[in-house]
């Protein structure tokens, strides 16, 4: 018990860094979560809760095995308000009302992590990413605790959600992603197209490139290419182009061919168009695909982008297109 108390006690230097409720996230993680920080990215503010764990007992489990379902309902409520455009387009009031709920969810997952199922762990993290709520201390703690044997109990859906959550929250965890890449080699045969896209996109976004993992993703994507939807095709192509991963023969041609089918591009939004255009530009530079295939794909993407601009102009007159998307599309055309 004395050893556990020593683990949570702050040194004099660390306590000066805290300045009572001003502790930055990585210091909070180092201090044994004494300062529990929840950075609310969604409403542009920062909410910091401070208490001394050394003086307080571990809080009892409130949600237990229902924690994943509770987080899903809270995230769905947040998304519904955001979709309706209430609170000036940002559901800040709802997030403030649910602040204590999210705090309890994060605290319980932190203190009772070993009692939670893989589904609950991945589901709670996915919900935090959906509401753009980043708890740095919690993310660091989970990345540190999840080891190889524990990840063996995660199925492909759990692993995909886990990796995607860290990527959406822009929180790098090299050790965790390395272990996930090793485990995913055994679980990819059970992956559907969406899970393949999530795994590839998450690893590319955080620059956690693993050659073996991307080779397996390419093989399994080609095997089920007829079942891969346009959005997932664009995400997979973008992930490979972003990290310059080697592509097997016929990989780009098969993916691009599916995107060029009649009506396929109509399912892409502006982000999907930009992702596919970025991959096409990289393929043209590296000459991994035939010039005519790249040109045909760019023509399809350009028509789709113009259609999206016209629809957006009718919906919101005077609103300019995303400069980033325009730049990506223009560079790919060059």
């Amino acid at each position: 018990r004395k050893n556990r108390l020593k683990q949570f006690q702050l040194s004099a230097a660390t306590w000066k860094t805290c300045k009572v409720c001003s502790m930055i996230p990585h210091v909070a993680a180092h201090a044994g979560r004494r300062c529990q920080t929840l950075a609310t990215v969604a409403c542009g503010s920062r909410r910091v809760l401070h208490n001394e764990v050394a003086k307080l007992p571990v809080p009892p489990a409130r949600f237990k095995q229902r924690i994943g379902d509770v987080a899903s309902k809270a995230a769905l409520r947040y998304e519904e308000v955001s979709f309706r455009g209430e609170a000036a387009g940002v559901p800040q009031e709802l997030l403030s009302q649910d602040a204590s709920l999210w705090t309890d969810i994060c605290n319980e997952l932190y203190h009772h992590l070993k009692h939670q199922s893989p589904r609950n762990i991945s589901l709670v993290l996915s919900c935090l990413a959906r509401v753009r709520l980043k708890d740095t201390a919690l993310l660091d703690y989970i990345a540190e605790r999840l080891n190889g044997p524990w990840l063996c109990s995660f199925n492909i859906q759990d692993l995909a959600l886990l990796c995607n959550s860290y990527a959406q929250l822009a929180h790098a965890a090299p050790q965790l992603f390395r272990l996930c890449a090793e485990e995913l080699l055994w679980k990819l045969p059970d992956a559907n197209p969406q899970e393949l896209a999530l795994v590839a996109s998450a690893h590319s976004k955080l620059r956690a490139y693993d050659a073996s993992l991307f080779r397996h993703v390419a093989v399994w994507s080609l095997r089920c290419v007829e079942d891969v939807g346009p959005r997932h095709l664009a995400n997979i192509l973008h992930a490979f182009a972003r990290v310059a991963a080697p592509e097997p023969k016929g990989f780009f041609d098969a993916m691009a061919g599916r995107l060029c089918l009649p009506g396929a591009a109509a399912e892409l939004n502006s982000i999907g168009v930009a992702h596919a255009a970025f991959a096409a530009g990289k393929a043209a530079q590296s000459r991994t695909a035939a010039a005519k295939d790249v040109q045909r794909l760019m023509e399809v993407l350009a028509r789709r982008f113009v259609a999206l601009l016209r629809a957006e102009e009718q919906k919101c007159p005077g609103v300019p297109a995303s400069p980033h998307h325009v730049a990506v599309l223009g560079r790919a055309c060059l």
Side-chain angles (χ1 to χ4, degrees):
R1 186 174 181 180
K2 291 182 179 180
N3 292 336
R4 293 187 61 186
L5 290 177
K6 289 181 180 179
Q7 180 182 0
F8 293 118
Q9 288 176 350
L10 284 172
S11 63
T14 309
W15 183 256
K16 291 180 181 178
T17 309
C18 176
K19 297 181 181 178
V20 184
C21 296
S22 299
M23 181 174 282
I24 56 179
H26 72 272
V27 179
H30 178 71
R33 197 175 173 76
R34 183 170 287 93
C35 293
Q36 298 160 356
T37 303
L38 283 173
T40 308
V41 183
C43 58
S45 62
R46 187 174 180 181
R47 176 167 52 89
V48 180
L49 305 177
H50 187 281
N51 70 334
E52 290 192 32
V53 178
K55 296 182 180 180
L56 295 177
V58 175
R62 172 185 172 186
F63 308 107
K64 300 181 180 180
Q65 294 303 316
R66 297 183 296 106
I67 189 171
D69 297 330
V70 173
S72 296
K73 292 180 180 178
L76 182 61
R77 186 165 59 251
Y78 175 93
E79 291 173 339
E80 288 176 350
V81 174
S82 179
F83 180 78
R84 292 198 302 266
E86 296 183 6
V90 179
Q92 182 174 358
E93 296 180 0
L94 177 64
L95 193 60
S96 301
Q97 295 173 2
D98 286 348
S100 59
L101 175 62
W102 286 112
T103 302
D104 292 341
I105 290 174
C106 292
N107 287 340
E108 181 166 335
L109 185 62
Y110 183 94
H111 292 291
H112 302 276
L113 179 65
K114 63 181 180 180
H115 302 297
Q116 295 297 338
S117 64
R119 174 184 176 273
N120 282 335
I121 296 173
S122 59
L123 197 55
V124 170
L125 292 180
S126 178
C127 292
L128 290 176
R130 286 164 57 186
V131 301
R132 300 182 294 279
L133 195 62
K134 185 176 181 179
D135 188 342
T136 306
L138 176 63
L139 295 173
D140 287 337
Y141 181 76
I142 293 178
E144 178 185 355
R145 292 293 176 176
L146 291 181
N147 52 25
W150 197 344
L151 290 174
C152 288
S153 60
F154 282 62
N155 59 29
I156 181 61
Q157 183 181 18
D158 299 331
L159 291 172
L161 288 178
L162 178 67
C163 295
N164 184 65
S165 301
Y166 275 82
Q168 293 298 320
L169 294 173
H171 189 88
Q175 179 181 355
L176 175 62
F177 271 66
R178 178 178 58 82
L179 295 174
C180 286
E182 295 176 358
E183 185 62 29
L184 280 166
L185 299 181
W186 301 93
K187 306 292 177 62
L188 283 181
D190 299 326
N192 58 34
Q194 180 181 8
E195 291 158 354
L196 289 172
L198 286 178
V199 168
S201 297
H203 281 77
S204 67
K205 185 173 183 178
L206 293 181
R207 297 297 191 270
Y209 172 67
D210 184 90
S212 298
L213 176 64
F214 273 79
R215 282 199 302 268
H216 281 71
V217 170
V219 170
W220 291 108
S221 299
L222 282 176
R223 291 192 179 186
C224 64
V225 66
E226 295 183 358
D227 300 325
V228 183
R231 290 190 301 110
H232 303 321
L233 287 170
N235 289 336
I236 292 175
L237 286 174
H238 178 258
F240 274 78
R242 195 173 192 177
V243 296
E247 300 175 358
K249 185 177 180 180
F251 178 79
F252 181 86
D253 296 340
M255 297 286 182
R258 297 292 300 178
L259 284 175
C260 293
L261 292 178
E267 300 183 26
L268 296 177
N269 56 15
S270 58
I271 298 177
V273 171
H275 284 178
F278 178 82
K282 289 292 184 179
Q285 292 177 6
S286 59
R287 302 184 184 276
T288 56
K292 61 178 182 179
D293 294 333
V294 176
Q295 181 179 357
R296 185 168 64 126
L297 176 59
M298 287 305 304
E299 291 175 355
V300 172
L301 295 176
R303 286 195 294 267
R304 175 57 181 167
F305 192 66
V306 171
L308 289 172
L309 292 180
R310 290 175 177 172
E312 189 66 24
E313 178 65 23
Q314 295 178 357
K315 183 179 179 181
C316 303
V319 177
S322 169
H324 175 69
H325 297 163
V326 174
V328 170
L329 199 66
R331 185 174 181 179
C333 292
L334 296 177

